[in-house]
Amino acid sequence: MTTTLAKLAPSDDSITIRQLSDDPYSIYRRLRAEAPVLRVKSVGRTMLTKAEDTKYVKDNPELFSSNDPQTPMERAFLAHTLMRKDGAAHKAERGAMAPAFSGKNIKNCWQPIYTRIAGEFVSALPRGEIVDLYPALAGPFAAHCLKHLLGIEEASDADMQRWSQVLIDGAGNFGWDDAPFARSDAANAEMDALFERVVPRHLADPNPTVLSTMVNAEHPIAKSQIFANVKIAIGGGINEPRDALLTILYGLLTNPDQLAECRENVLWTAAFEEGVRWVAPIQVSARLVTEDTQIRGYDIPRGETVMTVQASANHDEDLYEHPERFDMFRPKRPHQGFGNGPHFCQGTHIARRMLADIMLPMLFDRFPNMRLPDPAQVRFYGFGFRGPLQLPVILD
């Protein structure tokens, strides 16, 4: 029986993607107070900005499906990826990669490799100079670690970073412009060619990497989906630890009292969690409504796409006092920086190990007097994905 829709959410045609990229938090603060359910014309989605609502959507995939046909992701990746699948299909593809992310492999395989990589990058940084840690450390460190995890060590760090950004730009191309898709098409061809070259190596010598785990499974998923899943990891597995590292460093360096206590009491994990809450590297997600439903008294019709704004959920005043502040000593509450529900980020534990256990203590051990010469030079940017565009520091 068809439900008569009586009260649609209000609509806004003034908020632009540029505004959401430049200064999203002031907009989300206003929306949480005035219009927590809002149809935003520029993104073609109904935005949800309260933590209760974003969690509810992510925790109910039967009603709010990941398979949104309006997203540019499938066009950018040239595949129907696991990020846009639900239920058994999603579970099968996520499970195909799962052994590479096991606690045993993180401890015995990836932690030693990542510690070696971190040592090489940190020891190469010049002392006593102003260095932008985005290109000098955060970006290439994330790329170098990821290619080992994925089993594509033959890729250069530069190519990994370029592919990641091209895929992100394509997946976020809500205006459906031709140029970002032309770049993602070219990147897809390069990645496919690389994967084809390295698969025989993994078949001949099985190992714990993501690609090897998938191609050597007893009942492997289709090769096209194996390749698509590696691309998903490239698309999200560089920017998350990269942007989280830069955000945490900015938070600590602009709050020296917190940094001092963090170093004295080895509180790097607390700094990590607060940084990811403060500025979520992945800010928004989309879900397709499968049945007529309601959120906060507004009718959300079947076929509508809702956008869960986890960046806003992480600043919800119902959960956090002064959420705009970096405060690693705030009362502990779960945040949504890594999502929740079936699509909870599979790389969360690795990212935490990379940064909280390895990179942050190593960096401040070598440069205990590291400082920001001018915090105003640091600009955060991004709507779907967000982080500092630069982080110039004096390494001392």
Side-chain angles (χ1 to χ4, degrees):
M1 187 171 89
T2 303
T3 301
T4 301
L5 298 175
K7 187 181 179 184
L8 292 175
S11 179
D12 180 280
D13 60 4
S14 65
I15 298 172
T16 67
I17 293 178
R18 180 58 184 267
Q19 290 170 340
L20 292 168
S21 299
D22 285 337
D23 183 22
Y25 288 102
S26 64
I27 296 172
Y28 297 149
R29 182 172 60 248
R30 174 172 60 84
L31 297 188
R32 287 194 302 274
E34 300 174 3
V37 183
L38 183 68
R39 290 177 293 152
V40 179
K41 183 177 179 181
S42 62
V43 297
R45 307 283 189 272
T46 297
M47 276 192 166
L48 308 175
T49 49
K50 293 291 288 182
E52 179 183 359
D53 301 332
T54 59
K55 186 177 188 305
Y56 168 70
V57 166
K58 293 288 191 68
D59 285 344
N60 289 276
E62 297 83 7
L63 184 55
F64 301 98
S65 171
S66 298
N67 189 18
D68 175 13
Q70 304 303 319
T71 179
M73 178 174 283
E74 185 166 345
R75 174 63 184 85
F77 283 78
L78 299 178
H80 188 191
T81 74
L82 84 165
M83 295 298 293
R84 290 291 170 255
K85 294 182 179 180
D86 301 306
H90 171 259
K91 185 177 180 180
E93 293 199 19
R94 185 180 174 101
M97 297 193 293
F101 296 88
S102 71
K104 178 180 178 181
N105 278 331
I106 292 175
K107 178 180 179 181
N108 297 332
C109 183
W110 308 125
Q111 182 163 350
I113 291 174
Y114 288 2
T115 301
R116 173 182 58 79
I117 293 171
E120 292 171 354
F121 275 103
V122 170
S123 64
L125 293 172
R127 193 181 299 274
E129 298 182 16
I130 296 180
V131 177
D132 184 353
L133 291 184
Y134 184 118
L137 178 67
F141 171 63
H144 206 79
C145 289
L146 184 64
K147 68 184 185 182
H148 282 270
L149 171 67
L150 296 181
I152 52 173
E153 296 92 330
E154 293 84 347
S156 70
D157 295 345
D159 279 343
M160 290 287 288
Q161 293 179 83
R162 176 172 58 85
W163 292 336
S164 178
Q165 192 59 53
V166 165
L167 290 173
I168 288 171
D169 291 343
N173 184 22
F174 293 102
W176 292 82
D177 298 326
D178 291 336
F181 292 141
R183 291 191 290 271
S184 61
D185 287 348
N188 273 291
E190 293 175 18
M191 287 182 283
D192 287 342
L194 173 65
F195 302 161
E196 292 285 4
R197 290 199 305 271
V198 302
V199 162
R201 169 168 66 81
H202 290 299
L203 290 172
D205 183 21
N207 55 74
T209 67
V210 167
L211 186 54
S212 183
T213 295
M214 288 194 289
V215 299
N216 286 294
E218 184 177 357
H219 302 289
I221 60 177
K223 184 176 74 171
S224 61
Q225 294 309 117
I226 290 175
F227 286 8
N229 289 351
V230 175
K231 292 174 188 176
I232 282 291
I234 293 174
I238 292 179
N239 66 292
E240 282 191 71
R242 177 198 69 201
D243 294 346
L245 174 59
L246 296 172
T247 296
I248 296 163
L249 287 171
Y250 180 81
L252 290 172
L253 293 172
T254 53
N255 292 276
D257 55 332
Q258 295 185 50
L259 173 57
E261 196 158 345
C262 184
R263 295 185 62 197
E264 182 178 351
N265 296 302
V266 194
L267 301 176
W268 304 112
T269 298
F272 173 86
E273 296 297 341
E274 174 63 358
V276 173
R277 180 211 65 83
W278 187 43
V279 181
I282 299 180
Q283 299 252 301
V284 301
S285 303
R287 293 293 186 267
L288 178 70
V289 181
T290 61
E291 299 177 16
D292 293 347
T293 189
Q294 284 194 338
I295 298 177
R296 294 187 181 270
Y298 292 111
D299 290 305
I300 311 294
R302 175 185 178 186
E304 183 81 8
T305 301
V306 295
M307 178 167 275
T308 61
V309 187
Q310 46 263 19
S312 178
N314 285 354
H315 280 220
D316 193 330
E317 294 81 1
D318 289 348
L319 299 177
Y320 309 103
E321 186 176 359
H322 300 299
E324 74 285 354
R325 300 177 184 173
F326 178 91
D327 180 6
M328 55 182 286
F329 304 119
R330 69 174 63 250
K332 289 186 178 180
R333 290 184 179 272
H335 62 74
Q336 297 181 35
F338 291 105
N340 52 280
H343 283 267
F344 181 80
C345 178
Q346 197 164 32
T348 299
H349 300 302
I350 286 184
R352 188 178 289 116
R353 191 68 62 95
M354 282 175 64
L355 304 187
D357 292 355
I358 299 173
M359 178 52 76
L360 286 167
M362 185 182 295
L363 194 57
F364 280 103
D365 181 64
R366 182 170 177 83
F367 303 108
N369 298 313
M370 176 172 33
R371 59 194 184 276
L372 281 168
D374 183 4
Q377 288 185 5
V378 180
R379 180 190 174 206
F380 285 75
Y381 184 81
F383 165 47
F385 303 86
R386 188 170 184 82
L389 295 180
Q390 65 285 118
L391 192 74
V393 300
I394 297 176
L395 296 172
D396 202 358

